[in-house]
Amino acid sequence: MIALEDRHLAELASLLKEKVGLHVRPDSYHALRMAIRARIEERGEAAQGTIDAYLARLREDASGDELRALLPLVTVGKTNFFRDSRQFAALEALVPDLLQRRRKGGAPIAIWSAGCATGEEPYSIAMTAAEHGVLAEEIDLAATDLNPQAVAASSEGRYTARRVQEMEPGRIERFFQPDGSGYKVRPELRRMVGRIQPQNLNAPVYPRPQTGSWDIIFCRNVIIYFDTATARQVLSRFHAVLAPGGFLFLGYSESLFRLFDGFQLTEIAGAFVYRKPAKPLTPAVPRAPEPAPFYTPSAPVQHLSAPRAKPAAGPAPQPERSPQEILDASVTLVETGKFEAAVEQLERLVAQGGEDLAARLTLANLYGVLRQPERARESYQAALALEPLSAEAHLFFGIHLLGVGELDGAANELGRALYLDPDLALGHYYLGRCRERQRDPARARICYRNAVDAYRREPKGRRQSFLAYYPDVPEDGAAIARAAEYALAAL
Ligand SMILES: C[S@@+](CC[C@H](N)C(=O)[O-])C[C@H]1O[C@@H](n2cnc3c(N)ncnc32)[C@H](O)[C@@H]1O
């Protein structure tokens, strides 16, 4: 085992803060410990115990490649039991039909928690199933993660008292047993999570249940760390291993909008989840309200290719609108010049306490457009508190700071965005503008060249689709590359 001292973790925490703006508090150092061990083992350096050398390399690596490889592992600490209770209400709504299918001689309920972190998610799924009378042999529940240390922790099922006490006492008593100063999952609950194993979602082969395809895949708060090309590959593999009519649960702030259109957005018990159509979608049939094999949603199914900027219906009042629908309605309001009304809607959405990154970023941008820089700053900061590793949030915060003349802050934020995603042509371009205003033409020139190169690497402008809506920022990759070329010529 690698000897990791607190000073190593403090050094890594300070590096993460400096390079990508991630603030890791000392009480979350266990996540850093797990990440660094997993990464060093992955690199085959465990025997050398060269933690100081590794940290030095991390600091000196100008490309940022090593830090980027470490980042997904660092996110392992961001999880908790029954995270997003609405999604667990949706799961509760699905379980009875799946159980009935099984008890009529059909396949066991097949659920995969992909990116399970330290196990809170799969055990929450298992508890939900058990509360509906599902027995261990009636469910094929798998949990996987990239980080082998997280997988080992999931398998062990040992948690601090603080973590467990977020749940109702009845649940703790039924599913956990005291273990030193914390708790351990009871063997019956552990048995319900059959497979717990390492799995890189970037690998081409995905696990399958005994019966061939999953009824439900949970992959929450994972794809947000992938670039668009990787996210698309991952989503198409999920699509392949999901049963027709099966469900994909993504994180609250993750959207497939303009990313992947093989799924339909469906409301179940107040949560919005993605569903693989029971029959393949064809371009001639934009809506496919096929009968579900085991569950028929009460809400109308919405086809994902309906563009966010132009929702089919206007912002007509509806009893319960999804965050996405509220965002769509706000975008329509902005497009018709009703900025204040859009802000009002988004403020209400954010006040509901949702972890909605897209809403916070859209709101931040609108405050900027409305010349309310302090509100914009607060809103960007709130977005970054939600997702500290969102390149998009750093990028647009940087653009905002540049707009209000805070050049050093802008350079920091734009640098962080580019550290997280070096292919952001928009980030290179704005950093170039920032360097020009800092009277540093040599660095400005490099940034503009990087913008053109980033565009050439991805001529189709893969970053045209941001999570949020920015009416004042050009999203067209070709236009950004052209602007960078003009700027270069003028320097
Ligand atoms: C923020 S946690 C999410 C945990 C849980 N799904 C939740 O929402 O509470 C992200 C997890 O994704 C895992 N992860 C990141 N990249 C991955 C990859 N390429 N393959 C599999 N897991 C990955 C990380 O190790 C981490 O445990």
Side-chain angles (χ1 to χ4, degrees):
M1 184 70 78
I2 307 146
L4 265 174
E5 295 166 26
D6 277 356
R7 69 180 173 88
H8 294 130
L9 302 175
E11 185 179 342
L12 178 59
S14 103
L15 204 65
L16 289 167
K17 178 78 190 148
E18 175 194 322
K19 303 279 191 196
V20 293
L22 182 72
H23 180 55
V24 186
R25 289 200 317 259
D27 61 356
S28 300
Y29 276 7
H30 68 280
L32 291 189
R33 186 173 279 117
M34 261 198 274
I36 209 163
R37 282 197 175 130
R39 184 64 190 145
I40 287 185
E41 274 167 32
E42 197 178 12
R43 290 172 56 106
E45 295 172 10
Q48 301 164 34
T50 53
I51 183 68
D52 286 299
Y54 177 74
L55 286 171
R57 221 172 19 250
L58 208 54
R59 188 170 280 288
E60 283 149 26
D61 171 20
S63 73
D65 289 348
E66 183 51 35
L67 193 65
R68 264 192 302 282
L70 189 67
L71 284 177
L73 299 165
V74 169
T75 64
V76 77
K78 278 194 89 191
T79 187
N80 46 268
F81 288 104
F82 293 93
R83 182 176 190 177
D84 192 350
S85 56
R86 284 161 306 186
Q87 293 198 329
F88 282 92
L91 179 64
E92 281 189 32
L94 294 174
V95 165
D97 287 355
L98 286 166
L99 183 59
Q100 201 182 24
R101 178 192 73 190
R102 167 66 180 157
R103 291 191 177 163
K104 283 184 175 161
I109 304 169
I111 305 181
W112 174 21
S113 162
C116 65
T118 36
E120 288 83 340
E121 180 178 275
Y123 288 123
S124 304
I125 297 169
M127 285 185 260
T128 307
E131 284 167 355
H132 282 77
V134 177
L135 306 173
E137 58 273 22
E138 291 174 319
I139 185 166
D140 186 350
L141 173 53
T144 66
D145 198 277
L146 172 67
N147 186 334
Q149 313 279 329
V151 171
S154 301
S155 190
E156 216 186 346
R158 215 183 278 273
Y159 298 96
T160 61
R162 206 172 77 184
R163 199 31 67 114
V164 169
Q165 279 158 1
E166 289 162 4
M167 281 181 289
E168 299 156 23
R171 269 194 180 135
I172 303 174
E173 205 168 303
R174 175 165 175 197
F175 297 114
F176 292 81
Q177 60 199 30
D179 179 77
S181 59
Y183 291 88
K184 190 171 163 68
V185 293
R186 289 191 187 275
E188 311 85 78
L189 189 69
R190 174 65 190 82
R191 261 200 304 282
M192 288 197 77
V193 190
R195 277 180 281 173
I196 303 184
Q197 62 195 39
Q199 162 77 37
N200 185 348
L201 291 172
N202 285 326
V205 180
Y206 277 16
R208 284 184 179 264
Q210 301 144 14
T211 48
S213 40
W214 300 103
D215 294 312
I216 303 173
I217 296 176
F218 276 71
C219 184
R220 304 184 308 156
N221 310 297
V222 181
I223 63 162
I224 195 166
Y225 300 109
F226 296 161
D227 63 31
T228 309
T230 309
R232 284 199 175 118
Q233 280 172 355
V234 167
L235 290 160
S236 80
R237 288 186 207 123
F238 281 153
H239 194 271
V241 297
L242 257 181
F247 293 92
L248 173 64
F249 284 46
L250 293 179
Y252 190 90
S253 56
E254 291 165 321
S255 158
L256 297 190
F257 176 69
R258 283 199 284 191
L259 187 63
F260 189 85
D261 58 10
F263 294 99
Q264 298 164 321
L265 189 61
T266 303
E267 189 199 339
I268 298 176
F272 283 78
V273 298
Y274 290 97
R275 176 170 224 199
K276 177 172 168 174
K279 285 190 188 158
L281 291 174
T282 62
V285 187
R287 281 168 182 259
E290 293 296 336
F294 62 85
Y295 181 86
T296 309
S298 53
V301 172
Q302 182 193 339
H303 190 266
L304 282 180
S305 61
R308 169 185 287 179
K310 291 176 182 56
Q318 290 173 10
E320 269 291 324
R321 288 188 303 164
S322 73
Q324 181 69 63
E325 285 170 314
I326 298 173
L327 199 55
D328 285 345
S330 313
V331 169
T332 306
L333 287 169
V334 170
E335 288 188 333
T336 51
K338 296 177 184 142
F339 287 73
E340 269 90 6
V343 164
E344 221 170 274
Q345 293 225 6
L346 289 169
E347 280 175 345
R348 223 173 304 134
L349 175 60
V350 163
Q352 283 164 11
E355 293 184 13
D356 198 320
L357 189 63
R360 283 185 193 277
L361 288 174
T362 305
L363 186 57
N365 179 268
L366 285 180
Y367 283 140
V369 170
L370 292 171
R371 306 251 181 281
Q372 300 180 17
E374 270 322 300
R375 286 192 165 174
R377 174 196 305 277
E378 280 163 21
S379 211
Y380 280 117
Q381 284 168 339
L384 281 164
L386 212 55
E387 284 302 342
L389 296 181
S390 161
E392 180 177 333
H394 286 290
L395 169 66
F396 285 94
F397 188 23
I399 294 174
H400 169 73
L401 292 175
L402 180 62
V404 295
E406 286 188 36
L407 302 184
D408 290 347
N412 267 341
E413 288 303 325
L414 293 168
R416 286 167 178 170
L418 291 168
Y419 216 94
L420 289 162
D421 186 349
D423 290 336
L424 280 172
L426 197 59
H428 289 293
Y429 172 72
Y430 276 99
L431 188 55
R433 282 180 45 177
C434 183
R435 295 301 183 208
E436 266 199 80
R437 287 179 59 186
Q438 288 177 318
R439 298 179 201 288
D440 189 347
R443 279 157 94 191
R445 211 167 278 123
I446 295 171
C447 295
Y448 290 138
R449 276 199 207 108
N450 286 341
V452 176
D453 288 349
Y455 170 66
R456 286 203 185 123
R457 278 198 298 277
E458 294 274 356
K460 290 193 193 81
R462 74 176 179 88
R463 274 291 170 183
Q464 283 179 36
S465 56
F466 287 112
L467 197 61
Y469 179 63
Y470 310 95
D472 57 332
V473 176
E475 286 192 29
D476 174 4
I480 294 157
R482 257 196 322 275
E485 271 164 357
Y486 292 148
L488 265 175
L491 262 176

